[in-house]
Amino acid sequence: MKLIRTLFLVSAWGVAATAAAAASSDDGTVTLRVMVDQPGAKIDRNIFGQFAEHLGRGVYEGIWVGPDSPIANTRGIRNDVVAALKELHVPNVRWPGGCFADEYHWRKGIGPLAQRPATLNPNWGGVIEPNTFGTHEFMDFVQQIGAEAYLSVNVGSGTPQESADWLEYMTTSQPSALATERLRNGRPEPFGVSFLGIGNESWGCGGSMTPDYYVSQLRIYARYSRNYNAGHPMRKIAVGPDGADTGYTEAVMKAWQGRNWSWDFDGLSLHSYTVGKWPPTYRATGFGEAEYAQLIEATLRMEGLIRTHGAIMDKYDPDKKVSLVVDEWGAWLAPTPGTKEGFLEQQNSQRDAIIAALNFNTFARHADRVRMANIAQMINVLQAMILTKDEKIVLTPTYHVHRMYVPFQDATFVPVVFAAGSYVHENVTLPRIDAISARDKNGKLWVALTNIDPRRRVQIDLAAAGAKRAAGQTLSAPAIDSVNTFDAPATVAPKPIAAKSAKGRLVLELAPQSITVVALDQ
Ligand code: AHR
């Protein structure tokens, strides 16, 4: 007999999830059906993008130690960090901010290192910005890790001319004065800029602009911020909504619908953090199950946000030409005690790993509209992949999830149907299981499974996918707040997992609070 669980019946768009299809057996095993004959959109690799702002120890110490540092480096960029990031196949890196971008003046970050002026970073601790990591160093960094460049231009305190000059400096191959200056600074050939953000949070730290005022700026910047590198196309990303507020979405998309030959953009930015409450007070470690459940509930609101803004975008752009770009997302928690104010340093636990997986799954389910996303932030800031302390680095649980999800980059989404069950803690009710599937470019079928429940193991039967074997990795932890530290760097680390079909079943057992990614073989 089959038990039907209806509380959270999960299916992908266009798939009629019948009760009979989504079932669990008497022993609690959940059957996962992979709808291989109903492939969906491509999961753009750019949804696994990252964000490196001049904030705290994100860039300085995290990426840049300078060429004279005793820490092993290549042209000032730390080798250990580059090696770790290469494993993630990071598709793009957003830089220089964030709020920092709207006070950044690119000219201060070019030329001989010793001659660069010290400026201030008023957004983030009011510290000195040495400008030793500028355009050339950032481009070197993304080239070293194999990523594409996503730059944000200064709309808040800059000018359209400053933005136009930056683009000309970077991208022209003509012998203009700016290109000649670039050559003098050691770069004869043009850089490739893949993405250009026209401002950042223009509704807030980026100038507190009304939607209509921003639209008037957007038209000007989108017109004059030209890419001259014909061999390297550039896509422009407009500022969009702050969380659930739809004012920018309406105004910017309406303007896009009325665009003409002189200006255009390709993406609309959405920023939404998993905060719980503002200012961020949820602890990064030492928290209990209530804080766990509340924060997972908060992160699952990404689904509703994408639907809300996606519906408005559909109204103005039914063909889905404009991407929804979630270029700031992740857990924003109480800072690590003893760290500098404004540096946004926080530890990273198994809960962060689950938050990362659930957001990836959400983006993948909306792959037809969400074609780019950037976790905030890459190193030492907010939900980081890597923490550094002098010459040491530690890979966080969030790092491991990124690595496990590499097979989903540019894979084709495949709907899955399963009875998610429910996990209840106090007044919070969540789906117990989340899952996605995709077929990679080599035809291999992958499944990612998250067991949200911190108390129960769950059996998943994958036999309905027609596979004989499942093999991959699982990320579990002794406790939901387990972290990796410089002294114990492998408390949370992926382990191999595999299952073979027997008696018509192919059962994987998911540990409590775990993420599992497996390939299915015939
Ligand atoms: O990621 C930290 C900050 O959060 C960014 O600078 C800003 O864009 C957002 O408010």
Side-chain angles (χ1 to χ4, degrees):
M1 193 185 83
K2 298 279 181 187
L3 298 176
I4 308 302
R5 298 193 178 167
T6 51
L7 188 50
F8 289 101
L9 192 66
V10 180
S11 75
W13 322 152
V15 177
T18 64
S24 56
S25 58
D26 283 345
D27 64 2
T29 303
V30 175
T31 299
L32 187 117
R33 296 185 62 216
V34 184
M35 316 303 276
V36 284
D37 54 344
Q38 299 176 36
K42 184 178 87 170
I43 302 170
D44 198 310
R45 63 194 292 265
N46 284 304
I47 71 163
F48 300 95
Q50 301 202 15
F51 175 30
E53 179 168 14
H54 287 235
L55 192 175
R57 300 189 305 115
V59 168
Y60 298 108
E61 291 189 40
I63 297 170
W64 177 259
V65 288
D68 301 328
S69 170
I71 298 171
N73 69 83
T74 302
R75 296 179 292 279
I77 294 163
R78 19 188 336 157
N79 293 346
D80 49 3
V81 162
V82 167
L85 291 172
K86 277 166 99 169
E87 298 290 320
L88 301 187
H89 299 223
V90 178
N92 72 82
V93 185
R94 181 171 182 251
W95 177 84
C99 298
F100 180 83
D102 280 297
E103 293 187 79
Y104 183 61
H105 300 285
W106 67 272
R107 280 207 147 276
K108 300 190 173 159
I110 56 168
L113 290 181
Q115 290 170 22
R116 296 196 192 166
T119 54
L120 290 177
N121 188 340
N123 281 291
W124 306 118
V127 296
I128 288 288
E129 162 57 53
N131 285 299
T132 44
F133 189 84
T135 304
H136 291 253
E137 292 74 25
F138 173 70
M139 289 299 189
D140 189 10
F141 170 60
V142 290
Q143 191 264 325
Q144 286 191 36
I145 67 169
E148 292 183 77
Y150 173 11
L151 301 183
S152 289
V153 295
N154 180 346
V155 173
S157 68
T159 63
Q161 186 64 56
E162 183 184 15
S163 173
D165 286 349
W166 196 15
L167 268 294
E168 182 186 324
Y169 177 85
M170 289 186 286
T171 64
T172 188
S173 53
Q174 301 265 51
S176 72
L178 284 164
T180 307
E181 191 177 359
R182 186 189 70 224
L183 183 147
R184 274 202 309 274
N185 289 333
R187 175 78 185 194
E189 65 278 10
F191 291 115
V193 179
S194 300
F195 306 99
L196 192 78
I198 311 282
N200 168 74
E201 297 193 354
S202 303
W203 33 262
C205 68
S208 211
M209 300 173 193
T210 62
D212 288 346
Y213 185 80
Y214 173 70
V215 164
S216 67
Q217 297 298 298
L218 169 65
R219 291 168 191 266
I220 297 167
Y221 276 80
R223 167 78 182 135
Y224 297 114
S225 303
R226 290 189 169 98
N227 172 33
Y228 295 97
N229 187 343
H232 195 114
M234 180 179 87
R235 282 171 270 176
K236 293 177 184 156
I237 296 163
V239 171
D242 168 19
D245 192 323
T246 55
Y248 262 63
T249 318
E250 280 284 356
V252 177
M253 287 307 298
K254 188 171 178 197
W256 178 84
Q257 192 184 42
R259 73 200 180 283
N260 60 33
W261 62 270
S262 70
W263 75 282
D264 198 355
F265 65 84
D266 310 278
L268 182 78
S269 149
L270 162 66
H271 288 186
S272 176
Y273 284 93
T274 301
V275 188
K277 59 183 168 191
W278 197 262
T281 47
Y282 275 72
R283 289 169 294 173
T285 58
F287 53 84
E289 193 171 338
E291 285 168 88
Y292 168 70
Q294 287 160 17
L295 223 54
I296 298 301
E297 183 179 47
T299 216
L300 290 172
R301 288 187 202 125
M302 182 65 82
E303 168 73 30
L305 288 180
I306 292 172
R307 282 176 183 262
T308 299
H309 297 295
I312 297 169
M313 294 177 81
D314 286 349
K315 196 168 65 173
Y316 297 108
D317 171 28
D319 297 332
K320 299 193 195 300
K321 289 186 175 146
V322 179
S323 302
L324 186 58
V325 176
V326 191
D327 53 8
E328 284 188 33
W329 68 273
W332 190 328
L333 308 171
T336 304
T339 54
K340 281 195 195 154
E341 201 182 332
F343 273 31
L344 310 189
E345 292 194 31
Q346 63 192 45
Q347 245 296 5
N348 194 289
S349 70
Q350 178 71 0
R351 180 179 62 187
D352 292 82
I354 292 193
I355 286 172
L358 294 175
N359 279 281
F360 288 152
N361 295 353
T362 304
F363 301 150
R365 281 193 279 267
H366 292 276
D368 58 345
R369 181 65 88 178
V370 179
R371 290 184 283 255
M372 188 156 162
N374 299 73
I375 190 167
Q377 297 193 5
M378 191 176 233
I379 304 163
N380 293 332
V381 177
L382 299 177
Q383 190 175 343
M385 310 316 108
I386 299 174
L387 305 176
T388 71
K389 186 172 155 197
D390 303 323
E391 77 292 352
K392 292 186 184 164
I393 71 167
V394 68
L395 308 178
T396 66
T398 299
Y399 173 95
H400 293 306
V401 175
H402 272 78
R403 189 163 178 192
M404 288 163 69
Y405 269 73
V406 166
F408 289 87
Q409 294 196 9
D410 283 343
T412 301
F413 182 80
V414 178
V416 289
V417 179
F418 58 99
S422 51
Y423 155 61
V424 182
H425 185 77
E426 296 174 349
N427 58 350
V428 177
T429 301
L430 302 170
R432 174 169 288 128
I433 305 295
D434 192 25
I436 59 164
S437 179
R439 197 178 285 289
D440 72 17
K441 282 175 280 185
N442 301 319
K444 194 177 272 273
L445 197 59
W446 293 84
V447 177
L449 301 149
T450 299
N451 179 8
I452 292 173
D453 196 324
R455 293 176 179 275
R456 262 186 62 172
R457 306 183 81 79
V458 178
Q459 274 79 33
I460 305 278
D461 187 348
L462 298 167
K468 297 274 179 293
R469 189 168 184 274
Q473 290 191 314
T474 189
L475 189 73
S476 62
I480 194 56
D481 66 340
S482 295
V483 298
N484 291 336
T485 64
F486 297 102
D487 296 328
T491 304
V492 185
K495 295 183 183 62
I497 187 170
K500 276 188 188 160
S501 74
K503 298 182 185 159
R505 302 174 86 197
L506 176 63
V507 178
L508 275 181
E509 184 171 272
L510 310 183
Q513 66 211 14
S514 65
I515 300 117
T516 301
V517 175
V518 288
L520 301 182
D521 291 321
Q522 294 304 313

